Amino acid sequence: MKGKSFVIGVLRAVFIIGVAYIILQPLLTKLSSSFMTISDMFDQTVKWLPRTFTLQHYKDAWGFMNYPIAFRNTFSLTLAVSILQLASCTLVGYGLGRFKFKGGKIIFAMVIFTLIVPPQMLMVPMYLNFRYFDIYGLLPPPGLNLLNSVWPFILISITGVGLRNGLFIYIMRQFFRGMPKDLEDAAYVDGAGLLRTFLTIMLPSAVPGLVIVFLFAFVWQWNDYFYTTLFMGGQGKFLTHALDNIAVKAVEGRTDLLRTHYSSLISNTGMILFILPLLILFALMQRYFIESIERTGIIG
Amino acid sequence: MKNKLFRISFQRRKIIAGYLFCLPFLIGFALFFFYSFMQTLIFSFNELQLTPIGYELTFVGWSNYSYALNVHPSFPMDLAAEIGNLAVNVPLILAFSFFTAIILNQKFFGRLLARVIFFLPVILGAGIIFRLEQTDMITQLSLGAAKPGLVFSGTALQNLLLSTRLPEQFLQFIIDAVERIPLIVRASGIQILIFLAGLQSIPSSVYEAADVEGATAWESFWLITFPMLSPLILTAVVYTIIDSFTSADNELVSMIRSTAFTSQGFGVSTAMAVLYFIVIAAVLGLVLQVVSKWVYYQE
C-alpha cells in the first residue's frame, strides 16, 4: 500500500513538472531575454542567465508604450467593465438557474445564441449603432455619437451582452443550479424574501463562481483588442495597442543590422510589462480563490 | 385556506422575480445583440457602400454566399479543416483538464504553486501575446528552428516510436497527439478551473458515506465524482468549442475580418460570417443534444 502511493506520488510529480515546464518556458524565455544585451543574444554560451544584466530594455519599452497613461486607461476601463459584467451576469444567471417560469428556456437559448456568434460578425452594425445612437429613433437624428467614449462598453456590460458574457451567465447558472434546494427552502421557511435569500444565502455560497467570472472578465477585457479598436479607434490609448505597436516603434528610424534583434528584445520586454499586472492580480486572487473554494467545500 | 393563497402568490412572485433577474440581459439582447445580428443578415444579401453620411445597400440576392462557397479560393476547405481540428482537440482538452483537476485536488507538497502555474495559460494564452509570439524572433529561436511552435519536435521520441514497428498511421497519430501537447495545455486553463471548483463543491460527507458502505476509490469516482461533475463537463465542452471557434487567433475569424476590408467587400465577409455561424450552431446543437442526456442535476 505504501509502495503504491509512492509510485503515484512520483508519477504525479513527473506529470506536474512536465506540464509546468511547458507552461513556464515561454514566460521564462521572455523574462530572461528582457534583461539581456544584444550581444548576449548571439552568445551561444548564454542560456538562461544574461551575462551582462541590463534594465535598458525596460526603460525603452516603458517609453515606447507610454506605459503610465496606457496602464491607467486600461486598468480603469477593465475594472469598470468587469465589475459591471459580474453584476449583470450574476443576476441573469441566478434568474435562469433558480427560477422556473415560462420562457426561461427561451431566454437561456438566447444566452447561448449570443455566445456562439463571433463578435467579429456583428462588427459593422455595432459600430454604426454606436456612431448614430438613437435608441430606435427615440432620440432625434442623427443621434448621439458614443464612439471614443466608455459608453459602448458600459452599455453592453450592464446588459450582459459584452465580450463572452454569455459564458459568464452560463457559469453562474450552472453554479446556482447545482446548489441544494434545501438551502433556499430553509431561507424561505425562515421568512426571508426573494431578494434577501439571493443576497444573504445564495450569493455567499456562489463565491467561487463570482471569483472565476470576475477574473475572466478582467483578463479578457485587459487583453481585448477588438472592442477597444472598434469603439475607441486604434489610437494607442490602451496597453494592447501599445504592445501591438512596440516592435514598429523600436525600429523607427533605425537602419542598422541589429534592429530586428533589438525590436524582438523590446517586444518581449513589452509583453512582460503587459502581463505583469495580470500576474499580480492573479497572485492576489489565487489565494482568495483557494480559500473560498475550500470554505464552500465545508459548507456544501 | 389562507396558507394555500399565500403559496399561490409566492409562486407568482417567484415567476415575476425570475423575469426581473433576467431583465438586464433581455434589454441588452434586444437593443444591442439581436438588432446587430439582423443587420448582419441583411448586409449579407447586399452590397454595402460607405458614404460620408452613413452607408448604402444594394440588394444582390445570394451572390455573396455563392461567391464564398464557389469562387473563394480557400473558404470551404478552411471551414472543413477547422471542424476536423476541433474534433481532435476537444476530447484531448477535456480529458487533460479533467485529469489535471483531479490531480490538483489531491493533497501533496507544493499544491498551491502547482495550481498557480496550471492556471497561468488563462493569462498567457490570451490573444495578443499569442499573436505576437507567432512572429517573434526570440520565441521562435527558443523553440528550436526545426519546427517552430512545437516543444516536442525532438527526433528521439519519433525514432523510439518508429522502432516499435507498430502500424504507421497509429504512430503518426501518437506523434501528432504529442505535438499538440503544448497547444492542449495552453487551451485547458479555464476548463481545469471549472472542474476544480466543481470538485471542491462536492461535500466530503458523500465520500465518507460511500467509504462506510464499502465503495472502492474506483467506484466512488464513477458513481460520485463523475455524475456530480457532469453539469460542469457540459460547461467545459461548450466552452472549449466556443473558445476555439470564436477566438481572435482563429484563422477563419481573421480571414472573415480581413475579407471585409479587401476588394471582395463587406457583403462577402458577412455571408462568410453567417455560414460560419450556421456551422458553429450545428456543431454545438449536436454536442448539446448528446451530452445533456447524461448530465445529472441535483434537483
Side-chain angles (χ1 to χ4, degrees), chain A residues 63-261:
Chain A
F64 289 141
M65 287 172 93
N66 207 348
Y67 197 80
I69 291 169
F71 175 85
R72 202 192 58 210
N73 289 338
T74 307
F75 185 80
S76 48
L77 179 72
T78 303
L79 192 66
V81 162
S82 41
I83 289 173
L84 291 174
Q85 292 185 348
L86 176 66
S88 62
C89 295
T90 306
L91 287 177
V92 179
Y94 187 68
L96 291 174
R98 290 315 294 197
F99 295 98
K100 284 215 164 69
F101 53 92
K102 239 190 202 156
K105 279 197 176 142
I106 296 169
I107 296 176
F108 182 62
M110 280 152 65
V111 170
I112 298 294
F113 183 51
T114 64
L115 200 51
I116 61 178
V117 175
Q120 287 80 0
M121 186 177 166
L122 309 177
M123 182 166 66
V124 167
M126 280 274 211
Y127 180 87
L128 296 170
N129 218 350
F130 286 116
R131 172 65 187 84
Y132 307 101
F133 189 71
D134 58 359
I135 331 177
Y136 298 118
L138 281 181
L139 297 174
L144 294 167
N145 181 3
L146 295 184
L147 297 176
N148 292 316
S149 77
V150 292
W151 283 107
F153 293 95
I154 290 177
L155 286 171
I156 60 173
S157 295
I158 51 170
T159 54
V161 287
L163 194 61
R164 297 205 173 172
N165 283 7
L167 179 77
F168 303 158
I169 295 173
Y170 187 96
I171 289 175
M172 289 321 294
R173 170 189 178 264
Q174 295 297 93
F175 253 93
F176 285 123
R177 224 182 145 176
M179 280 181 191
K181 206 164 167 27
D182 315 352
L183 205 67
E184 198 182 355
D185 288 342
Y188 291 147
V189 169
D190 285 347
L194 289 164
L195 196 64
R196 234 185 87 201
T197 308
F198 169 64
L199 289 175
T200 61
I201 308 290
M202 303 308 273
L203 215 49
S205 310
V207 167
L210 298 176
V211 174
I212 291 178
V213 167
F214 178 78
L215 194 68
F216 288 0
F218 196 94
V219 166
W220 279 325
Q221 185 56 48
W222 189 271
N223 280 290
D224 171 60
Y225 187 79
F226 176 69
Y227 278 128
T228 43
T229 309
L230 189 62
F231 296 147
M232 295 288 212
Q235 296 164 14
K237 282 191 259 178
F238 296 95
L239 283 175
T240 36
H241 298 126
L243 187 60
D244 202 35
N245 292 331
I246 198 170
V248 179
K249 273 198 176 170
V251 292
E252 224 167 44
R254 288 181 68 137
T255 49
D256 54 302
L257 285 168
L258 294 174
R259 64 182 191 279
T260 45
H261 297 78

Side-chain angles (χ1 to χ4, degrees), chain A residues 12 15-16 19-27 29-30 33 41 88 91-92 94-96 99-103 107 110-126 128-130 132-133 135-136 155-156 158-161 164 167 169-171 173-175 177-181 184 188 194-195 198 208 212 216 219-220 223 225-226 240 243-244 260-261 264-265 267-268 271 274-275 278-279 282 286 289-290 293-294 296-297 300, chain B residues 10 13-15 17-19 21-22 24-37 39-40 43 48 52-55 96 99-100 103-104 106-108 111-112 114-124 126 128-129 131-133 136-139 141-143 151-152 181-182 185-186 190 193 196-197 200-201 203-204 231-232 234-235 238-239 242-243 246-248 253 257 260-261 266 270 273-274 276-277 280-281 284 288 297-299:
Chain A
R12 188 169 55 203
F15 174 77
I16 288 171
V19 177
Y21 175 76
I22 295 171
I23 294 168
L24 290 179
Q25 191 264 348
L27 183 64
T29 309
K30 286 184 199 57
S33 55
M41 240 179 108
S88 62
L91 287 177
V92 179
Y94 187 68
L96 291 174
F99 295 98
K100 284 215 164 69
F101 53 92
K102 239 190 202 156
I107 296 176
M110 280 152 65
V111 170
I112 298 294
F113 183 51
T114 64
L115 200 51
I116 61 178
V117 175
Q120 287 80 0
M121 186 177 166
L122 309 177
M123 182 166 66
V124 167
M126 280 274 211
L128 296 170
N129 218 350
F130 286 116
Y132 307 101
F133 189 71
I135 331 177
Y136 298 118
L155 286 171
I156 60 173
I158 51 170
T159 54
V161 287
R164 297 205 173 172
L167 179 77
I169 295 173
Y170 187 96
I171 289 175
R173 170 189 178 264
Q174 295 297 93
F175 253 93
R177 224 182 145 176
M179 280 181 191
K181 206 164 167 27
E184 198 182 355
Y188 291 147
L194 289 164
L195 196 64
F198 169 64
I212 291 178
F216 288 0
V219 166
W220 279 325
N223 280 290
Y225 187 79
F226 176 69
T240 36
L243 187 60
D244 202 35
T260 45
H261 297 78
S264 183
L265 280 172
S267 171
N268 276 275
M271 287 189 231
F274 178 79
I275 53 182
L278 289 178
L279 289 177
F282 186 55
Q286 177 58 32
F289 178 70
I290 298 277
I293 47 184
E294 241 119 71
T296 50
Chain B
F10 183 66
R13 261 169 49 212
K14 274 185 92 168
I15 290 169
Y19 285 117
F21 275 114
C22 295
F25 173 75
L26 290 172
I27 295 170
F29 186 84
L31 270 184
F32 305 117
F33 184 85
F34 195 65
Y35 182 68
S36 304
F37 185 80
Q39 275 190 310
T40 298
F43 290 169
L48 184 128
I53 47 149
Y55 58 90
F96 174 78
F99 180 68
T100 307
I103 286 190
L104 290 181
Q106 293 167 353
K107 285 200 167 66
F108 59 87
R111 181 173 77 164
L112 187 72
R115 283 186 182 178
V116 170
I117 292 170
F118 276 61
F119 299 148
L120 274 182
V122 177
I123 297 168
L124 303 181
I128 185 151
I129 301 280
R131 189 152 53 84
L132 290 178
E133 277 180 355
D136 181 65
M137 191 160 90
I138 291 172
T139 314
L141 283 176
S142 79
L143 292 175
V151 176
F152 286 89
I181 288 176
V185 170
R186 274 196 135 172
I190 283 159
L193 205 65
L196 194 61
Q200 299 278 352
S201 70
S204 54
L232 294 176
L234 187 61
T235 312
V238 171
Y239 174 77
I242 289 166
D243 185 46
T246 61
S247 78
V253 168
R257 241 179 100 182
F261 304 107
F266 194 73
T270 41
V274 172
Y276 187 51
F277 165 73
I280 298 174
L284 215 59
L288 273 174
Y297 286 108
Q298 261 193 312
E299 267 169 354

Side-chain angles (χ1 to χ4, degrees), chain B residues 39 42-44 46-49 55-59:
Chain B
Q39 275 190 310
I42 293 166
F43 290 169
S44 74
N46 286 281
E47 212 183 280
L48 184 128
Q49 295 267 284
Y55 58 90
E56 249 170 43
L57 295 174
T58 327
F59 185 74

